[in-house]
């Protein structure tokens, strides 16, 4: 019994050391390629969309820690088992490590942008864990007739392994800190083309900006070694450092970004003042070949996002963004560089932590979300939302300000109307906006009378098309329907 406990503990400790060293290696060399993250990512990829949506709904932003914790627990269980079996059959130590290492490597390679080097962290972890376990279990003959001395030796070895694991974790922390400092030290050049003045409250404070991605841990990318490769259907392949990008003329624009997964009235939308390099001139420099109709953006942690080439050339402000609301991009929002395509949902035009742009065709390649059934185009649908009053609010009779936002990036908003209890549509007042690519803030003064009431909002885009009442789910091309709330007036 005690022997079994010892075997299990040795297995878990050895795996812990292996993982910690692999995380340190990944932090320095390949962000997001740590073994746990690779396996977790593969699990997410393999999960049907319906289950994924269920998990996001039930667990919210805890979905990732929960998944990583589960992967860690399963690994700990398997490592403990390997330790117990390895007590009596040494070969099983090597076999267990090999199986787990290869499983991790296979998971890393199965990711959409997985390349051979991504297998290294898992293989490294398995090699270190296997060797450590072997040493812990077999460095001294287990048959010596001195059980207490043997126990002391085992505890000494275990403490050594735990210490090494803590050191490796600490190293990974230092790497991440150093990158954090490089981010705050980054000096942003002034834009060649500044944003137009805009009304206060138009932009979402960075800390409140929604975040949606599949990254299990936020990739920490060293801006000093980051580069962007532009290749595929181009005459000249480009490789640009962050300094190369920052030396180009920059544009500064207020642009609204929203997620296709946003429900009617939902929170996955925000507006920020972005600073970036316009993509069109860069693609022309690379010498765009005939037939290229898709830009496949790949990110450090393995996302692929497919964006129509036309959106970089039709005059809109499609850019490689380096800053958000006056500061370098926060790590969560894609530091050091992300794509931004006005008029497209994030999954179709806003690749974070971008490291590669491949010019190709839609016929030749389906990006991550398209493989999962989401629409190829990703064009933002006209929508509007009531932010004030809150649903189920209790209000006093008299004039009540009803307010919110409406958006139809690229087309703009020409009209917002409010209907009380299904009655006639009344025009809301629109605040001025810098361009068609931002949401519009609207307000309506409602003479509220006692009783329960429903409030609905609808927008008309710049082309005169009225937002449809028909309800559609976010999948596969964005939710539709009017946002309606109920309130009580007394
Ligand atoms: N690398 C990467 N980029 C990504 C994603 C992702 O999962 N990975 N998600 C996309 C989606 S679905 C959206 S809506 C936006 C969200 O950007 P934000 O988190 O900065 O708000 O990023 C897009 N870019
Ligand atoms: Mo999204």
């Amino acid at each position: 019994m005690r022997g079994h406990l010892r075997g299990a503990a040795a297995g878990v400790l050895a795996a812990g050391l292996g993982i910690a060293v692999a995380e340190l290696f990944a932090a320095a060399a390949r962000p997001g390629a740590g073994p746990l993250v690779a396996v977790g990512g593969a699990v997410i990829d393999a999960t049907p969309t319906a289950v994924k949506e269920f998990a996001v709904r039930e667990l919210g932003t805890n979905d990732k820690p929960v998944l990583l914790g589960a992967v860690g627990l399963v690994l700990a269980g398997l490592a403990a088992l390997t330790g117990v079996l390895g007590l009596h059959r040494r070969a099983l130590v090597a076999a267990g490590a090999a199986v787990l290492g290869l499983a991790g490597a296979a998971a890393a390679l199965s990711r959409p942008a997985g390349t051979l080097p991504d297998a290294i962290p898992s293989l490294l972890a398995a090699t270190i864990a296997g060797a450590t376990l072997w040493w812990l279990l077999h460095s001294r003959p287990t048959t010596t007739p001195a059980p207490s001395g043997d126990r002391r030796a085992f505890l000494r070895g275990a403490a050594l392994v735990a210490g090494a694991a803590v050191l490796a974790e600490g190293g990974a922390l230092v790497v991440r800190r150093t990158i954090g400092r490089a981010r705050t030290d980054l000096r942003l050049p002034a834009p060649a083309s500044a944003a137009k003045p805009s009304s206060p409250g138009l932009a979402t404070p960075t800390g409140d900006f929604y975040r949606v991605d599949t990254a299990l841990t936020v990739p920490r990318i060293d801006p000093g070694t980051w580069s962007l490769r532009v290749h595929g259907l181009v005459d000249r392949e480009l490789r640009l450092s962050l300094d190369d990008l920052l030396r180009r003329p920059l544009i500064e624009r207020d642009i609204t970004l929203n997620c296709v997964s946003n429900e009617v009235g939902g929170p996955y939308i925000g507006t920020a003042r972005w600073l970036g390099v316009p993509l069109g001139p860069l693609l022309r420099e690379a010498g765009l070949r005939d037939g290229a109709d898709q830009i496949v953006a790949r990110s450090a942690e393995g996302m692929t996002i497919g964006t129509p080439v036309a959106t970089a050339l039709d005059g809109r402000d499609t850019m490689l963004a380096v800053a958000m609301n006056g500061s370098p991009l926060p790590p969560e929002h894609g530091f050091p560089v992300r794509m931004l395509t006005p008029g497209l949902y994030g999954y179709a035009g806003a690749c974070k932590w971008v490291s590669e742009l491949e010019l190709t065709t839609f016929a030749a390649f389906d990006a991550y979300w398209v493989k999962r059934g989401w629409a190829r185009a990703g064009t933002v649908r006209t929508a509007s939302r009531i932010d004030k009053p809150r649903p189920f609010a209790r209000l006093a009779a008299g004039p009540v300000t009803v307010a919110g936002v409406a958006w139809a990036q690229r087309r703009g908003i020409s009209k917002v109307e409010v209907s009380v209890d299904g009655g006639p549509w009344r025009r809301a007042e629109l605040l001025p906006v810098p361009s068609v690519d931002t949401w519009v803030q609207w307000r309506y003064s409602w003479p509220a009378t006692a009783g329960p009431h429903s409030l609905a909002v609808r927008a008309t885009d710049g082309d005169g098309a009225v937002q449809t009442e028909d309800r559609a789910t976010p999948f596969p091309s964005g939710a539709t329907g009017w946002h309606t709330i109920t309130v009580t007036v007394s």
Side-chain angles (χ1 to χ4, degrees), residues 3 14 106 142-143 177-178 207 212 220 237 244 290 298 314 330 349 384 409 423 459 468 476 483 488 490:
T142 46
T143 48
R177 279 266 169 77
T178 310
V212 169
R220 308 281 160 169
E237 194 172 311
D244 293 337
D290 283 349
R298 288 194 173 79
D314 64 5
S384 50
Q409 295 94 304
T468 178
H483 187 211
T488 308
S490 48

Side-chain angles (χ1 to χ4, degrees), residues 239-257:
R239 191 178 274 279
L240 300 151
S241 68
L242 188 57
D243 281 340
D244 293 337
L245 274 191
L246 295 178
R247 268 195 292 272
R248 302 177 67 96
L250 302 179
I251 57 173
E252 181 191 49
R253 298 288 184 267
D254 295 316
I255 296 170
T256 295
L257 176 65

Side-chain angles (χ1 to χ4, degrees), residues 210-214 259 299 301 303 333 338 350 352-353:
Y210 81 98
R211 177 187 161 201
V212 169
D213 55 61
T214 62
C259 183
S299 69
E301 88 303 353
M303 177 50 64
H333 295 291
R338 78 174 303 165
K352 304 193 273 190
W353 312 291

Side-chain angles (χ1 to χ4, degrees), residues 261-451:
S261 298
N262 202 27
E263 305 272 357
V264 170
Y268 299 142
I269 179 164
T271 300
R273 178 158 291 185
W274 308 93
L275 178 73
V277 175
L279 189 57
L282 211 139
L283 295 187
R284 288 198 191 90
E285 242 172 74
L288 212 48
R289 294 234 174 107
D290 283 349
D293 63 5
Q294 180 176 219
I295 306 164
V296 173
R298 288 194 173 79
S299 69
E301 88 303 353
M303 177 50 64
T304 56
I305 286 185
T307 308
V309 167
T311 62
L313 306 175
D314 64 5
R316 75 181 81 182
D317 293 317
T318 300
M319 66 167 94
L320 292 164
V322 294
M324 180 179 187
N325 294 332
S327 302
L329 290 177
E332 296 77 17
H333 295 291
F335 181 78
V337 180
R338 78 174 303 165
M339 278 259 298
L340 213 56
T341 310
L344 299 188
Y345 289 116
Y347 82 99
C351 189
K352 304 193 273 190
W353 312 291
V354 63
S355 61
E356 198 184 303
L357 299 179
E358 183 186 359
L359 279 299
T360 178
T361 64
F362 279 101
F365 185 80
D366 282 341
Y368 184 89
W369 293 108
V370 174
K371 279 198 188 86
R372 286 157 180 79
W374 294 82
R376 215 167 248 134
T379 310
V380 167
R381 303 217 199 219
T382 303
S384 50
R385 187 178 75 190
I386 300 171
D387 293 326
K388 263 190 354 193
R390 306 302 303 164
F392 311 114
R394 306 190 147 270
L395 309 164
V400 166
T401 299
V402 183
V405 284
W407 59 92
Q409 295 94 304
R410 285 283 77 206
R411 302 179 299 281
I413 294 291
S414 60
K415 188 162 72 173
V416 173
E417 297 161 295
V418 173
S419 162
V420 179
D421 301 326
W425 289 100
R426 307 281 185 207
R427 239 176 139 130
E429 177 196 348
L430 305 185
L431 269 64
V433 283
S435 85
V436 291
D437 293 331
T438 66
W439 60 18
V440 171
Q441 298 167 276
W442 59 264
R443 62 183 173 220
Y444 168 70
S445 180
W446 169 42
T449 54

